[in-house]
Amino acid sequence: MLSLLVNALWLMLPAYFSNSSAVLFAGKTPIDFGKNFIDGKRIFGAGKTFKGLIGGTLLGITVGLLQQLAKAGSQISVPSFDPIFVIVTLSFGAMLGDLAKSFVKRRFGIDRGRPWPIADQFDFVAGAWILTYLFFSDWFVHNFTPPVIAVALILSPLLHLAFNQIGYRLGKKREPW
Amino acid sequence: MLSLLVNALWLMLPAYFSNSSAVLFAGKTPIDFGKNFIDGKRIFGAGKTFKGLIGGTLLGITVGLLQQLAKAGSQISVPSFDPIFVIVTLSFGAMLGDLAKSFVKRRFGIDRGRPWPIADQFDFVAGAWILTYLFFSDWFVHNFTPPVIAVALILSPLLHLAFNQIGYRLGKKREPW
């Protein structure tokens, strides 16, 4: 059980860091360049910037590389990011999931920052998993076993909330969720 | 692939029917007896009645029994509801999931009938799976393999929407979702 928890946490760390750190790289240029979709509402909204997308992804990748180094240096018994590119799909996928959620949120007319429970907590998890599965299905199925997935689904909203609280207290986030 | 689709549909039918038919058994006595929670808002709301809960569960159970009879009578290659009580946990679990969602919705102050995307489409799926897993974990793990779960997750919102459209056109539902 403890090993399940450690494995789930280990596998999700790049996604947690990329998703939660995007807000630290505030940035100015929005990914949608301020443009509206065909419904007259913003494509993604002002909250989604290139700097956040790229900064968050790079931090997630950095964390994954550090994890892989720590594993190699210490022989701790945790899953291996091998092929190493899964770190990219986990980190960038997390950002894409969040972006896709924002797109849908704008279509529903939900303002930036207004909560959409469940979608807000799992957008990045779904994005990280789907992108990684698409590119590295063998690695995904081998590492994200049903019990790991179950633990990750419970863990993710809790850590997401914890990370967001930190961002809020640091004054980097306008809402504590 | 077709067999995956058939198996997922077969396994979910009791939950689909119980969840979608509750609205047909309109009923008057609400499960919360009209009482408020400690936050001053209704516990579940006027939309959740004993008649709906019991009628929906019984219809789901009936559908499951008919399926099991059809399987026994025709030797069609579909999963077996064995132990037969999984039909009860699938049907009643679907209702409990919906009820739990209503409870949370009221806490968030979301009015009855106002949509909560994702939660609305998956509440009954989560309820059916969790209750069945709690009582019949072996049967669940054996039948709800990761591919079946993946197909069921795609299938469920589509069928949920289709069923709700029928309810709406029959004049039994106030919203088409």
Side-chain angles (χ1 to χ4, degrees):
Chain A
M1 190 65 210
L2 180 67
S3 121
L4 250 185
L5 193 70
V6 170
N7 285 3
L9 184 62
W10 188 264
L11 288 166
M12 292 306 288
L13 267 192
Y16 290 153
F17 270 91
S18 69
N19 178 251
S20 306
S21 67
V23 72
L24 302 176
F25 307 96
K28 278 184 189 146
T29 313
I31 295 167
D32 61 11
F33 291 108
K35 294 212 184 319
N36 291 339
F37 195 60
I38 49 169
D39 57 6
K41 293 168 191 156
R42 283 289 290 269
I43 301 176
F44 300 116
K48 302 296 153 188
T49 65
F50 279 109
K51 201 172 165 192
L53 176 70
I54 296 165
T57 302
L58 289 182
L59 186 65
I61 292 172
T62 305
V63 168
L65 290 173
L66 289 175
Q67 287 176 264
Q68 195 65 358
L69 277 176
K71 178 181 164 65
S74 65
Q75 305 296 328
I76 45 172
S77 171
V78 282
S80 182
F81 294 120
D82 173 27
I84 196 75
F85 292 107
V86 296
I87 295 172
V88 179
T89 56
L90 287 170
S91 303
F92 189 56
M95 304 303 292
L96 286 187
D98 186 41
L99 206 56
K101 191 268 315 279
S102 284
F103 177 78
V104 177
K105 226 169 169 172
R106 293 301 93 77
R107 304 290 74 73
F108 281 137
I110 306 176
D111 288 337
R112 175 187 169 196
R114 262 190 50 211
W116 179 9
I118 301 187
D120 286 335
Q121 284 74 45
F122 293 101
D123 52 1
F124 70 102
V125 180
W129 287 354
I130 291 171
L131 196 68
T132 303
Y133 181 81
L134 288 177
F135 282 90
F136 307 104
S137 56
D138 288 347
W139 181 87
F140 184 86
V141 171
H142 178 73
N143 288 283
F144 281 99
T145 58
V148 170
I149 286 186
V151 172
L153 287 178
I154 297 168
L155 208 59
S156 296
L158 301 176
L159 284 174
H160 185 254
L161 194 65
F163 272 107
N164 283 352
Q165 287 281 345
I166 296 172
Y168 180 68
R169 274 150 208 248
L170 288 175
K172 297 290 185 181
K173 218 173 169 309
R174 299 196 300 183
E175 311 84 17
W177 53 74
Chain B
M1 190 64 209
L2 180 67
S3 120
L4 251 184
L5 193 70
V6 170
N7 286 3
L9 185 63
W10 188 265
L11 289 165
M12 293 304 290
L13 268 191
Y16 291 154
F17 270 91
S18 69
N19 178 251
S20 305
S21 68
V23 72
L24 302 177
F25 307 96
K28 278 184 188 147
T29 313
I31 296 168
D32 61 11
F33 291 107
K35 294 212 185 315
N36 290 340
F37 194 61
I38 49 169
D39 56 7
K41 293 168 191 156
R42 284 288 290 269
I43 302 176
F44 299 117
K48 302 296 154 187
T49 64
F50 279 109
K51 201 172 165 193
L53 176 70
I54 295 165
T57 302
L58 291 181
L59 186 66
I61 292 172
T62 305
V63 168
L65 290 174
L66 289 175
Q67 286 176 266
Q68 194 66 357
L69 277 177
K71 178 182 164 66
S74 65
Q75 305 296 329
I76 44 172
S77 171
V78 283
S80 183
F81 295 122
D82 174 28
I84 196 73
F85 292 107
V86 296
I87 295 173
V88 179
T89 56
L90 287 170
S91 303
F92 188 56
M95 304 304 291
L96 286 187
D98 187 41
L99 205 57
K101 191 268 316 279
S102 284
F103 177 78
V104 177
K105 227 169 168 171
R106 292 304 92 78
R107 304 291 74 72
F108 281 136
I110 306 177
D111 288 337
R112 175 187 169 196
R114 263 192 49 210
W116 179 9
I118 300 185
D120 287 334
Q121 285 75 44
F122 294 101
D123 52 2
F124 70 101
V125 180
W129 287 354
I130 291 171
L131 195 68
T132 303
Y133 181 80
L134 288 177
F135 282 90
F136 307 104
S137 57
D138 288 346
W139 181 87
F140 184 86
V141 171
H142 178 72
N143 287 283
F144 281 100
T145 57
V148 170
I149 285 185
V151 172
L153 286 177
I154 298 169
L155 207 60
S156 296
L158 301 176
L159 285 174
H160 185 254
L161 195 65
F163 271 108
N164 282 352
Q165 287 281 343
I166 296 170
Y168 180 67
R169 274 150 208 248
L170 288 175
K172 297 289 183 182
K173 216 171 170 314
R174 300 195 300 182
E175 311 84 15
W177 54 73

